[in-house]
Amino acid sequence: MKICCIGAGYVGGPTMAMIAHKCSGHTVTVVDINQARIDAWNSDKLPVFEPGLDEIVAGARGKNLFFSTDVDTAIREADMIFLSVNTPTKTYGVGAGRAADLRYIEKCARKIAEVAENDKIVVEKSTLPVRTAESVKRILESNSNGRKFQILSNPEFLAEGTAMADLEAPDRVLIGGDQTPEGKAAIQALVDVYATWVPRERVLTTNLWSSELSKLTANAFLAQRISSINAISALCEATEANVDEVAHAIGTDSRIGPKFLKSSVGFGGSCFQKDILNLVYLCEHFGLPEVAAYWNSVIEMNDYQKHRFSRRVISTMFNTVSDKKIAVLGFAFKKDTNDTRESAAIYICKDLLEEQANIAIYDPKVEVAQIQRDLGIDADNKYVSYCDDAYEATKDAHAILVLTEWDEFKALDFKKIYDQMQLPAFLFDGRNLLDLEALREIGFEASGIGKG
Ligand SMILES: NC(=O)C1=CN([C@@H]2O[C@H](COP(=O)(O)OP(=O)(O)OC[C@H]3O[C@@H](n4cnc5c(N)ncnc54)[C@H](O)[C@@H]3O)[C@@H](O)[C@H]2O)C=CC1
Ligand SMILES: O=C(O)[C@H]1O[C@H](OP(=O)(O)OP(=O)(O)OC[C@H]2O[C@@H](n3ccc(=O)[nH]c3=O)[C@H](O)[C@@H]2O)[C@H](O)[C@@H](O)[C@@H]1O
């Protein structure tokens, strides 16, 4: 089969690389309108950092995996077309700030209608509001000229930083489609692709709407667990309970389970907030304001957690950080990725800049230009500096903020760091990554999240 994927981003690139790697009989072409991104996919420095991705791309690229900006040819030749374009929160017009912006998806549907010469299976890989497939189908069918299109929903559940492991051994693959004979045949064609390496019982098939809604629901549930434990972290700080101990104690209940109970400075990433806002908007659209308010509180709690952290830093440092050097360790929204979208670090740095702090940022993977874009500052901003390692960032600093849980931070020589800092040397561990007792023995005024 010839497979095309429109959108060479964090999802399209790794997902298609895995399909090409596992299914040598299929040819996979990933296309994008962003020339720089495609050039990077064809180079030694891929645009996405994911452990294990380089090897898989190197093994398949040029054999049955191709990256190109020739969108029309790839669509024309494909039997199956994945849509993996971005679906950000709308910033204009009706639903601004909440609804999903579907213009990229619609452009893809119109492009397929324009250039396709024969029947196609169109697979929604992007995360979409429930019932989007209806619009995609309408656009395609209005322009069909006798060609037949089957629409499938196949949402992606990979997490950044573990994308390749998640794709290699997914908990489940979800495929939704029409329950007609043609729809079922299209579902089977996609089941056959995944069944090459995913155990058949893990490939779930549903109707279109269940599949679309399951993706938003999964992300809402995951984010809700984080907001729940973060809410408890505030209570822990007030009562001298320890949130890690509470999380462990409740997580051993098999009905609750241990995962996604790590209290933090707040969740980030491109999707949790966007997808919950989308869910909230849908609930309001369907006349369910109580349901909308319930899910919106997950985001409100996350905002509270981020700003609560900034406020705690400032109040602990004698209510002023003006002119003080603050070392920020980690800028990505989680470890093992160069992605900073909605990273809590952005909000915390902005809070500190408003207080006129000098911040020295070190992240092992995030590029300086990206940090500048995120903070909305020029290269010559005198309050922000960029460091090549944690030792440089912490030299003469008044405080350290750990904002991403990079493994390398655990191996730092904190005695050496303490000796080059201003005293009292404050350390705020926004990820509960470090051994606070050991740091206090060195002399740090160390605090974590949810620890009294
Ligand atoms: N990032 C993640 O970990 C996950 C993302 N998702 C969902 O997958 C979708 C894609 O997300 P990402 O890969 O992170 O986005 P991304 O922004 O990294 O990549 C999207 C790509 O689509 C391209 N594009 C947009 N319109 C186009 C068009 N008309 N023709 C050709 N290319 C076009 C853009 O240039 C961009 O390179 C979103 O709906 C997201 O919610 C789902 C699971 C995980
Ligand atoms: O739709 C998506 O985009 C994806 O969103 C998340 O994946 P991702 O955002 O890449 O990463 P997560 O591991 O879920 O982490 C999200 C944020 O929550 C934070 N987090 C996670 C877990 C936890 O216990 N505590 C916590 O604060 C992380 O640090 C990070 O900032 C989901 O885990 C994926 O299943 C989903 O496919």
Side-chain angles (χ1 to χ4, degrees), residues 243-277:
V243 76
D244 284 347
E245 291 176 355
V246 174
H248 181 68
I250 64 167
T252 48
D253 184 326
S254 61
R255 294 168 301 174
I256 297 176
K259 292 184 183 167
F260 261 70
L261 286 180
K262 185 76 186 163
S263 188
S264 69
V265 68
F267 62 73
S270 62
C271 292
F272 279 173
Q273 174 164 313
K274 154 177 95 66
D275 292 348
I276 295 175
L277 287 170

Side-chain angles (χ1 to χ4, degrees), residues 425-438:
F426 293 102
L427 187 147
F428 301 90
D429 183 356
R431 294 291 183 165
N432 286 346
L433 180 74
L434 306 173
D435 180 345
L436 295 183
E437 274 315 312

Side-chain angles (χ1 to χ4, degrees), residues 283-301:
C283 294
E284 284 175 0
H285 173 79
F286 287 107
L288 303 167
E290 292 82 0
V291 185
Y294 175 75
W295 287 111
N296 198 47
S297 72
V298 172
I299 294 180
E300 286 169 356
M301 181 52 60

Side-chain angles (χ1 to χ4, degrees), residues 362-374:
Y362 166 64
D363 187 286
K365 287 287 171 202
V366 178
E367 313 231 331
V368 167
Q370 184 61 47
I371 297 175
Q372 288 164 350
R373 275 195 295 277
D374 290 334

Side-chain angles (χ1 to χ4, degrees), residues 5-14 31-35 37 41 48 50 71 83-88 103-109 111 125-128 155-161 163 215 219 269-271 274-275 333 339 341:
C5 173
I6 309 180
Y10 282 85
V11 169
V31 291
D32 204 293
I33 42 176
N34 182 334
Q35 181 74 52
R37 226 170 195 185
W41 279 111
V48 170
E50 278 294 338
V71 179
L83 308 181
S84 189
V85 295
N86 34 330
T87 50
R103 66 178 143 164
Y104 306 105
I105 279 287
E106 177 161 346
K107 276 195 185 126
C108 291
K111 184 55 116 178
K125 183 53 107 178
S126 300
T127 302
L128 296 167
E156 184 49 60
F157 296 101
L158 68 80
E160 289 180 30
K215 172 63 195 179
N219 273 358
S270 62
C271 292
K274 154 177 95 66
D275 292 348
F333 81 96
D339 196 344
R341 290 179 287 182

